[in-house]
Amino acid sequence: DTAVSQTPKYLVTQMGNDKSIKCEQNLGHDTMYWYKQDSKKFLKIMFSYNNKELIINETVPNRFSPKSPDKAHLNLHINSLELGDSAVYFCASSPPGRGVLGDTEAFFGQGTRLTVV
Amino acid sequence: AQSVTQLGSHVSVSEGALVLLRCNYSSSVPPYLFWYVQYPNQGLQLLLKYTSAATLVKGINGFEAEFKKSETSFHLTKPSAHMSDAAEYFCAVNSLGGATNKLIFGTGTLLAVQP
């Protein structure tokens, strides 16, 4: 019974194409995220949504457009893919913390390995 | 702004030996700190977290970490390494930005366990 699930797990595509990655969580969390892990394993947040509202956009190129149809889903659409977009993309979710204090952890999906050729 | 630094991108230990993975944080407010583990081709799994309740935090798989404010450290330890502990380990701090929060990760430490 997967908590945070992403599809597809692997994605190989040509430069210039448009692709989407889907994410669903069944944990009842209000907040969802997209993280990017580069080839050196460095993890960086891209977006955060809370109850379908965009909260964080970490200066990601506007070729990346997240969409949250409801609070259980956060999809990532990427236009005009570039070689540098090759990475592992992780979806995550987290429950509310105490007030605005970030004492809750994020639950991660298995990742989508995107390869742009 | 909060940040974490992991010293040592690669650590190698023998099976049964002590595991020590180092993490230092920088934060102007009391931090919330986390250790995650990533097995090959897997997502990240929470090992343990510090949220100011107790300075010594016990996690899963026999790992623990001690929060030391005087040293701004949150090192991860395990008394006896097992082959199955071989993985990438990430320290993270929760960066508070107004009403939002996000995890800021260190650069990771790859733990190798030799038989």
Side-chain angles (χ1 to χ4, degrees):
Chain A
D1 197 20
T2 306
V4 181
S5 60
Q6 298 177 228
T7 53
K9 189 167 182 180
Y10 299 96
L11 186 52
V12 181
T13 188
Q14 291 188 322
M15 274 196 307
N17 282 352
D18 303 338
K19 290 293 179 186
S20 292
I21 307 172
K22 298 190 175 194
C23 179
E24 176 181 6
Q25 54 98 1
N26 62 6
L27 298 166
H29 293 165
D30 288 342
T31 306
M32 295 185 72
Y33 311 83
W34 279 108
Y35 281 82
K36 179 180 180 181
Q37 186 174 46
D38 63 22
S39 58
K40 295 187 174 162
K41 297 290 182 81
F42 183 62
L43 277 154
K44 190 172 191 305
I45 191 167
M46 299 173 69
F47 301 103
S48 165
Y49 269 71
N50 185 270
N51 270 323
K52 303 191 296 176
E53 298 293 326
L54 178 66
I55 304 296
I56 296 173
N57 180 340
E58 286 285 305
T59 59
V60 177
N62 57 15
R63 296 183 297 104
F64 291 79
S65 53
K67 293 274 192 309
S68 182
D70 55 63
K71 73 174 193 176
H73 295 84
L74 180 62
N75 305 321
L76 183 65
H77 188 75
I78 316 170
N79 289 327
S80 304
L81 277 153
E82 301 177 357
L83 291 175
D85 297 332
S86 295
V88 181
Y89 292 85
F90 286 101
C91 178
S93 70
S94 65
R98 289 176 292 182
V100 298
L101 302 179
D103 62 342
T104 59
E105 68 271 25
F107 294 76
F108 285 80
Q110 295 295 293
T112 296
R113 183 174 295 277
L114 172 65
T115 304
V116 183
V117 297
Chain B
Q2 286 93 343
S3 66
V4 289
T5 302
Q6 291 183 244
L7 298 174
S9 58
H10 290 80
V11 170
S12 182
V13 300
S14 298
E15 194 173 17
L18 171 72
V19 175
L20 170 61
L21 304 182
R22 298 177 187 273
C23 174
N24 287 87
Y25 70 88
S26 172
S27 178
S28 56
V29 297
Y32 294 115
L33 296 160
F34 306 80
W35 275 100
Y36 281 84
V37 61
Q38 184 180 26
Y39 298 103
N41 297 315
Q42 300 281 323
L44 283 83
Q45 181 182 4
L46 181 72
L47 277 176
L48 48 81
K49 65 179 182 181
Y50 168 75
T51 58
S52 76
T55 56
L56 182 62
V57 182
K58 293 189 184 298
I60 62 171
N61 302 338
F63 284 93
E64 63 181 39
E66 187 171 8
F67 174 74
K68 291 187 177 179
K69 185 178 178 181
S70 60
E71 299 177 8
T72 62
S73 69
F74 189 57
H75 301 331
L76 182 71
T77 60
K78 181 173 180 176
S80 176
H82 193 273
M83 297 294 289
S84 61
D85 295 326
E88 189 91 30
Y89 291 80
F90 292 94
C91 181
V93 63
N94 210 326
S95 173
L96 306 178
T100 70
N101 60 77
K102 61 186 180 186
L103 288 173
I104 305 295
F105 285 90
T107 49
T109 298
L110 182 62
L111 175 67
V113 182
Q114 309 299 329

